[in-house]
Amino acid sequence: QVQLVESGGGLVQAGGSLVLSCVASGSITRPNTMGWYRQAPGKQRELVATMTSGSTTNYVDSVKGRFTISRDNAKRMVFLQMNSLKSEDTAIYYCTFQRGSMNYWGQGTQVTVSS
């Protein structure tokens, strides 16, 4: 089992920045992938960014150049630096941990961008 706890969400004005953090506990083995998904009201959950334990990254097109994912494997943490935030970035952001066929999710943290 893997437990994930997110922090760092909040209210920010358009053009501002936020950093999301997630710490994992439990059975953390490699290789694995950690990352962030989000779900806006009335929309499906979508991938935002992921990073493998080998440091390969993947981003949804809408955040490329604005968001940066990073990891601290020693601390079992993943981060999402979000710059130039837009109103359409408003959503609940979920931390994920994936290893093989197993996927784990955090409880989510709300990000609200005011225009």
Side-chain angles (χ1 to χ4, degrees):
Q1 287 289 327
V2 174
Q3 296 77 42
L4 302 167
V5 178
E6 304 103 332
S7 60
L11 174 64
V12 64
Q13 288 188 333
S17 298
L18 279 175
V19 179
L20 303 183
S21 301
C22 174
V23 59
S25 60
S27 180
I28 309 297
T29 59
R30 301 182 192 181
N32 61 62
T33 299
M34 296 186 73
W36 298 90
Y37 282 66
R38 67 186 178 187
Q39 187 166 19
K43 295 187 177 182
Q44 288 188 331
R45 191 173 296 189
E46 66 169 353
L47 179 149
V48 177
T50 61
M51 189 173 193
T52 70
S53 49
S55 300
T56 299
T57 59
N58 182 40
Y59 294 90
V60 66
D61 285 346
S62 61
V63 307
K64 287 179 179 178
R66 300 189 299 122
F67 291 10
T68 302
I69 189 170
S70 60
R71 292 178 58 155
D72 185 331
N73 289 324
K75 295 182 179 179
R76 300 179 170 186
M77 296 188 73
V78 62
F79 306 94
L80 187 67
Q81 173 72 49
M82 304 185 293
N83 298 328
S84 302
L85 282 161
K86 305 176 181 180
S87 57
E88 51 263 43
D89 296 317
T90 294
I92 299 174
Y93 284 70
Y94 297 91
C95 177
T96 71
F97 177 93
Q98 182 265 329
R99 182 183 66 243
S101 63
M102 301 300 294
N103 277 288
Y104 300 90
W105 299 85
Q107 80 286 356
T109 185
Q110 177 71 47
V111 172
T112 303
V113 183
S114 63
S115 57

